[in-house]
Amino acid sequence: MIHKLSAQDFDEPEYSLFAIHSALEDYHLAYCINRELSLKLRKNPEALLISARAGEATFSRFTFYNEKQDTGWDLIQNKQELATAGIGDGFFSGMAMSSTAYLLPEFSKVDYFLKIENPNGGIPSLTQKLKKIDRVSAAYVVERTRIKSKNHLIF
């Protein structure tokens, strides 16, 4: 039996990715985005698990799927604090140490990402609406060519 692969088998799904800088907690940001964009983002029980240098990092995720528009929305945390025990016999042995793991390490300043699968246009107005949210200091579209850790966005 012969299996043929076409170039379409390797196409990346169509999505837009927005970077959001905010000090809000994830659930509060999801609530504000729901209110501003008329969405129904809900906490996804399946958090994203990524292996980092300091260990396994779990990133919270809020999802919504709009059946009418065939559009998927994901609000994903980019930073996760990891606590590790100190190692060795020296001064720092036994002391709790912490490090930060990132979903997309190349964007270490970004707090959250909003991923929209099968976007139906309206990207500039969406950016403006995100910027209107109180305590969102910046929101912008991330160019897909700048993303090095694309595998972390497959879920």
Side-chain angles (χ1 to χ4, degrees):
M1 175 181 256
I2 297 175
H3 294 284
K4 292 184 179 181
L5 296 175
S6 68
Q8 294 173 348
D9 294 335
F10 297 103
D11 284 346
E12 288 186 41
E14 185 62 33
Y15 68 89
S16 293
L17 188 67
F18 294 85
I20 300 173
H21 297 261
S22 176
L24 292 172
E25 292 291 328
D26 55 0
Y27 63 89
H28 193 173
L29 181 60
Y31 170 79
C32 292
I33 290 173
N34 283 343
R35 192 179 64 215
E36 188 66 38
L37 302 178
S38 300
L39 298 178
K40 295 179 182 174
L41 289 167
R42 298 204 189 293
K43 181 115 181 181
N44 191 320
E46 295 179 23
L48 298 176
L49 184 65
I50 304 291
S51 294
R53 286 185 199 156
E56 297 287 318
T58 305
F59 298 93
S60 67
R61 180 174 151 209
F62 291 77
T63 58
F64 170 64
Y65 180 72
N66 186 331
E67 291 180 18
K68 291 180 184 178
Q69 297 178 348
D70 189 33
T71 304
W73 299 75
D74 287 282
L75 176 66
I76 313 128
Q77 180 183 29
N78 186 45
K79 297 179 182 180
Q80 181 63 45
E81 293 293 325
L82 299 175
T84 57
I87 55 173
D89 296 329
F91 180 73
F92 296 107
S93 66
M95 292 181 70
M97 308 284 277
S98 69
S99 63
T100 305
Y102 300 96
L103 179 69
L104 299 181
E106 59 271 28
F107 299 100
S108 61
K109 303 280 188 225
V110 175
D111 298 304
Y112 299 96
F113 290 105
L114 182 63
K115 179 183 174 189
I116 306 170
E117 292 186 20
N118 300 325
N120 296 326
I123 300 302
S125 65
L126 184 61
T127 304
Q128 292 305 318
K129 288 180 180 180
L130 289 171
K131 289 179 183 178
K132 282 183 185 178
I133 297 172
D134 192 32
R135 295 183 48 198
V136 168
S137 57
Y140 51 90
V141 177
V142 175
E143 296 295 326
R144 290 172 65 168
T145 56
R146 293 184 54 213
I147 304 171
K148 297 176 186 172
S149 310
K150 290 182 182 182
N151 290 342
H152 293 177
L153 295 174
I154 300 171
F155 38 81

